Amino acid sequence: AAGMFLRLLSDIQWRAAHPKWRRMTSSQRSTSTTAEPHPVSLPAQAQVVICGGGIMGTSVAYHLSKMGWKDIVLLEQGRLAAGTTRFCAGIVSTARPVSVELKMAHYSNKLYQQLEQETGVQTGYMKTGSISLAQTQDRLISLKRIASSLNVMGIPCEIISPKKVLQLHPLINIHDLVGAMYVPEDALVSSANVSLALATAASRNGVQIHERTTVSHITVQKGRVTGVETDRGRIQCEYFVNCAGQWAYELGHSGEEPVHIPLHACEHFYLLTHPLKEPLSSSLPTVVDPDGRIYIRNWQGGILSGGFEKNPKPLFTEGRNQLEIQNLQEDWDHFGPLLSALLRRMPGLEALQIMQLVNCPESFTPDMRCIMGESPTARGYFVLAGMNSAGISYGGGAGKYLAEWMVNGYPSANVWPLDVKRFGTLQSSRTFLRHRVMEVMPLMYDLKVPRWDFQTGRQLRTSPLYDRLDAQGARWMEKHGFERVKYFVPPGKDLLDLDHSKTFYKPDWFDIVGSEVKCCKEAVCVIDMSSFTKFEISSTGDQALESLQYLFSNDLDVPVGHVVHTGMLNEKGGYENDCSIARLSKRSFFMISPTDQQVHCWSWLKNHLPDDSNLVMEDVTWKYTALNLIGPRAVDVLSELSYAPMTAEHFPSLFCKEMSVGYANGIRVMSITHTGEPGFVLYIPIEYALHVYNEVMNMGQKYGIRNAGYYALRSLRIEKFFAFWGQDLDAFTTPMECGREFQVKLEKGMQFLGQEALLEQKQNGVYKRFTMFILEDHDTDMDLWPWWGEPIFRNGRYVGKTTSSAYSYTLERHVCLGFVHHFDEKTGEELVVTTDFINQGEYEIDIAGQRFQAKAKLYPFSSLFTQRRRKDEVELSGYQRE
Amino acid sequence: FYLTPPQVNSILKANEYSFKVPEFDGKNVSSVLGFDSNQLPANAPIEDRRSAATCLQTRGMLLGVFDGHAGCACAQAVSERLFYYIAVSLLPHETLLEIENAVESGRALLPILQWHKHPNDYFSKEASKLYFNSLRTYWQELIDLNSGETTDVREALINAFKRLDNDISLEAQVGDPNSFLNYLVLRVAFSGATACVAHVDGVDLHIANTGDSRAMLGVQEEDGSWSAVNLSYDHNAQNEREVERVKMEHPKSEEKSLVKQDRLLGLLMPFRAFGDVKFKWSIELQKRVIESGPDQLNDNEYTKFIPPNYYTPPYLTAEPEVIHHRLRPQDKFLVLATDGLWETMHRQDVARIVGEYLTGVHHQQPIAVGGYKVTLGQMHGLLTERRARISSVFEDQNAATHLIRHAVGNNEFGTVDHERLSKMLSLPEELARMYRDDITIIVVQFNSHVIGAYQDEE
């Protein structure tokens, strides 16, 4: 039956031009089970070895060979396009919430459209369009948000009425619909044939393809890939690309030094039917009914319909080969709810005859985004896997980005949301993955409202104060496995209600966070910020200073005890990381970076620091609990606890000192708060954490101290126009573009990474500018709230997107931060963005299709700073992270 | 008026209890995965009792159900005491000595049992000293008797049952200076209780049964289907061997009066039981004890009433019938239940319902379309029907609760009918007993891997 399916689904038409390869594959197709002698032996060495002949592997091979790399070997354990790719439903859909995913899908669509012409392989490409249905107003809002971002990318897309839905697809029952989104250029393909077409083109470009070759492990020496061991011998190589799909996790763990690729397979079911009496047209649009958890496409006159059920069935947790993919059983009882949803959506299909229920495993990742990039532990080891069932939509674009990454050192777009380095070993537990993907799979079609959190795999990394804070009403979110407080529910509030506060509008915690913010402004608050990544770098001589001076743009040769905010930039001047570095002594530095930088920053430093045994770097994240004391009374609390004067004369801003707090000694106190408000962060060795916390809370009572969470911090930093890395800042943003020139010391007397690019920008100007927007006619109570990713319009023309937003309790207005570009009105070419350009525009922010007037500002409100503070105490800018 | 499904659930689940054996208890890997138990009262208060405990000084686990009659006092006492008697009977000489020495010198005692109790399963504080003294006398005798032989489980069970019944009888004859206790021991002796106890140690399963509760083994056949194996015989009029036994023990002249209307002496349903001294003591002894007893006892018509044709007591014994079974990998679970369950359900149905519950619904034959012509609508109808059939399974986290739901709510088609369930559970107290008896169930789940490993070793 499986063999029949291969033919039914993909209609393989094999016309590879490469004679060597055609012989090999055709002989194997005729005898599918017996192993044969391989006509072509493996080369002894190659520049690149790709493992996996699915859509990902073939796409990487295709793009690498197009970019001029020729010495490439692609290995496939079975046959090309025979795994998940073969069974994939073949829907190319561009409606993706994350911008880089949207770009990949858009590129894939364009690529597949011309692929048949390019290669001569029939891909079954058919532009059918797709309709995403909304059964609720909230769903319609989420579709409108996606529609906004598709439109500004030039992808046709419209929100349509139920009546229009019926015109596009006569079988749909529209009685329970409130609207829909129509994307006319979405397409259908035969995914196996797309993969074969890519392989054909790659093969013509010189890529060697070997089927029935199993990779056993990768050899790594001195942190670099050196070769690949297969069941047919060894290939020496410089680069290895793991495109092994659902087996990528295990392949990553097969070597001596594991490469963590956190993904896990789940069974995925779809139904195939015989043709209707009057066969469905092959141009009929694909229907996605997320509230019913199903998708429906036309298929050979009948339909193909699958979905993402509430109770997924994870598999292969214990490892591969328990059962072959081919032996997976149909499970009608499991599919029942999806079948109900299908018949509810298309009642006319009752009499349609079933052909088969296909069980096709898909791999899912802990955060629903795919995994690509270079391993932090083995240079030259690249990964592209974990497509969360959107492999065919992403295939083309993902392969292109990865090829660019390998050839150019970095892709042409910011792919941090997909970077394998966003994960560490902690997301690699099989139990964690099994539990998390059971949440992720239904989430594919769940409504995602602002600030949703994962519920599984929680309480993994916690601060020593976790229980104390939890008992005081803390509500938690998770970052990089670490539990962080969102806000504290005051006693007596209805808790159940707060848990159901997920909405696109004003959330229930509005007043709670408001009072925390007020306390930060008027008294003092404590926020546990232990999750931040903390490194110590020291050396016997000047090596530490010299190396860091090269890697950071600000001048680190400051007196001992000073704290420096600085970017860690790449060659193009873009932010690889944004940190605060304290000079602890002449030869040692303490570095604070965002929580999710733990793996990325470590590997960046490892790759860039000289290999010198006198230079020591240590990850001390786990050693310290960080308490952020924010507010005008923080100084009083701390001086009472330490019997040391903490006023600005004795303890100026951006200063770091080890001191005693309560009974505990050796507390690292820094006069920064990450918010622009006055205060201190205390880095406390963990065994003192509870003591210091108790002392602070006791002593703080008379100053009105209270606990606060990250939502308060976020509101504070955004109204102060502080950008943070990972949200506002990325590898494609330079300090010049976000008003942080003062953190760059071009004249510090030595070369640093990114210097040339910044010099050039200084002379020629920047092409985008980080800007703060105050929403003018936005009603906080009644209107949709901004989140991030909202299009920005200047004088009615699209100029960029927001990157973060928050309600400012001080301004009593919403504040959005985002980047403004200057596109030439005629050519669309990017022009230099000047201060005048920013200041002389009328701005609007598009929230789910509704535009709100906004006032643009390039500098924060000074009035916010001067209350109760002298000007020289101010942390003058822009440093913040979440 | 009807109970809503949540109300029904809260009634059914009020007494449920589950215990999972820790995977590695530090000593040995247990052949028991855990057990679920539950009881549903019909009498107010309920006269059934249940017990479960792990033996700490020997290996093995004890589980039992006890069905009281003429009050719950006897069942309560047996549920508290019997396992101590069994555990002590199983202890080697040295351990007995050690315990006795500890008591003698006021040192801390070795714990003998680890109980697994529902919060409603209480122990009487007042009687504990009295019970302890009787138990101590027993082990002191065991020490004196020291036979030097290793303890045989069968014998230990029989001795424990007989000894406890004897102690119950003696305590009532001797009385107690404390008037509360004095009344208590009399109530225990004049009421009765059956007992069905399982002792599991590795692959050795012993069932000791006295009365008409029942032990049943759930066996999974090779084709996945379920069958039931009885591991106890009911001691009642339906059991010919039991009728024969009673007749053998009394003169031929009494043959006709011994069993009347399927009852012992026309009065008692179970043919073996704890307590029930009215069927054990001589008439003189009964009269003497009642006369010297407290007023409450004298006022009770039942206790004063002497059974008719009462010539050659004792007519009743607590001696259990013991069955030994070596567990096999296909033996998946054991059900111990009072007659309240067996009156309403056939053991074959019990085996199937519990078996399917424990293995999930996966053993419902999966649907395969194969080459048949099936439409989406037909498939949808079929799946909806299947879902309705299994939905009751998902409501329960406890196999015993699930069984009770079926026992009380099953309609003529063998599926749970919510309306019927609701009616049965909302019967007023005085009517409930007419439609159903107290039901107490323990479902013990075995670890087939461990049992398989035991087999391989041999």
Side-chain angles (χ1 to χ4, degrees), chain B residues 45-86:
Chain B
I46 186 168
E47 293 179 348
D48 279 6
R49 292 293 185 271
R50 60 184 156 171
S51 293
T54 305
C55 299
L56 296 174
Q57 301 307 322
T58 55
R59 305 193 318 168
M61 195 167 182
L62 287 163
L63 305 113
V65 294
F66 312 97
D67 184 352
H69 47 263
C72 59
C74 186
Q76 174 64 33
V78 173
S79 76
E80 289 178 39
R81 305 176 70 183
L82 181 59
F83 287 8
Y84 279 115
Y85 281 72
I86 296 171

Side-chain angles (χ1 to χ4, degrees), chain B residues 229-247:
Chain B
V229 174
N230 273 350
L231 287 183
S232 67
Y233 300 107
D234 300 347
H235 299 139
N236 59 17
Q238 276 71 48
N239 181 342
E240 282 176 29
R241 270 176 39 219
E242 198 59 9
V243 176
E244 279 311 302
R245 176 186 64 82
V246 174
K247 286 183 177 168

Side-chain angles (χ1 to χ4, degrees), chain B residues 158-315:
Chain B
I158 294 173
N159 290 343
F161 272 61
K162 284 162 76 176
R163 176 67 184 210
L164 173 58
D165 194 47
N166 203 41
D167 282 355
I168 287 172
S169 171
L170 269 177
E171 285 156 7
Q173 291 172 44
V174 175
D176 196 282
N178 175 319
S179 64
F180 175 84
L181 280 182
N182 194 33
Y183 184 42
L184 177 73
V185 294
L186 286 166
R187 272 185 302 147
V188 169
F190 276 90
S191 60
T194 71
C196 186
V197 172
H199 178 265
V200 199
D201 175 9
V203 288
D204 290 309
L205 170 63
H206 286 86
I207 303 289
N209 183 48
T210 287
D212 55 3
S213 292
R214 197 182 287 171
M216 184 214 87
L217 195 62
V219 181
Q220 189 165 31
E221 306 294 343
E222 271 176 24
D223 64 359
S225 66
W226 296 94
S227 62
V229 174
N230 273 350
L231 287 183
S232 67
Y233 300 107
D234 300 347
H235 299 139
N236 59 17
Q238 276 71 48
N239 181 342
E240 282 176 29
R241 270 176 39 219
E242 198 59 9
V243 176
E244 279 311 302
R245 176 186 64 82
V246 174
K247 286 183 177 168
M248 289 280 292
E249 289 170 1
H250 297 277
K252 195 122 179 87
S253 57
E254 290 184 48
E255 190 165 321
K256 287 211 172 114
S257 59
L258 272 174
V259 180
K260 275 186 167 171
Q261 290 156 340
D262 284 349
R263 287 164 188 255
L264 189 65
L265 296 179
L267 291 171
L268 197 61
M269 292 257 271
F271 280 25
R272 302 192 195 191
F274 281 92
D276 280 328
V277 291
K278 276 152 44 66
F279 297 86
K280 290 173 182 166
W281 289 353
S282 67
I283 296 177
E284 294 72 36
L285 181 58
Q286 289 189 44
K287 281 186 171 156
R288 181 164 58 76
V289 171
I290 291 170
E291 274 162 22
S292 63
D295 294 342
Q296 300 104 309
L297 200 67
N298 265 311
D299 297 342
N300 188 322
E301 289 303 318
Y302 172 80
T303 43
K304 282 202 324 205
F305 173 75
I306 302 289
N309 305 311
Y310 197 79
Y311 309 115
T312 51
Y315 287 89

Side-chain angles (χ1 to χ4, degrees), chain A residues 22 113 123 151 156 211 246 275 296 311 331 350 368 371 406 424 449 513 531 541 566 577 605 772 783 845 860 878:
Chain A
R22 180 173 56 197
Q113 191 173 4
T123 57
N151 277 324
E211 297 182 301
Q246 57 192 327
I296 309 156
N311 51 333
D331 185 343
E350 286 249 350
M368 232 174 16
I371 300 172
M406 294 171 67
V449 298
V513 173
S531 69
T566 178
N577 188 4
L605 291 174
M772 173 175 182
D783 287 327
I845 307 284

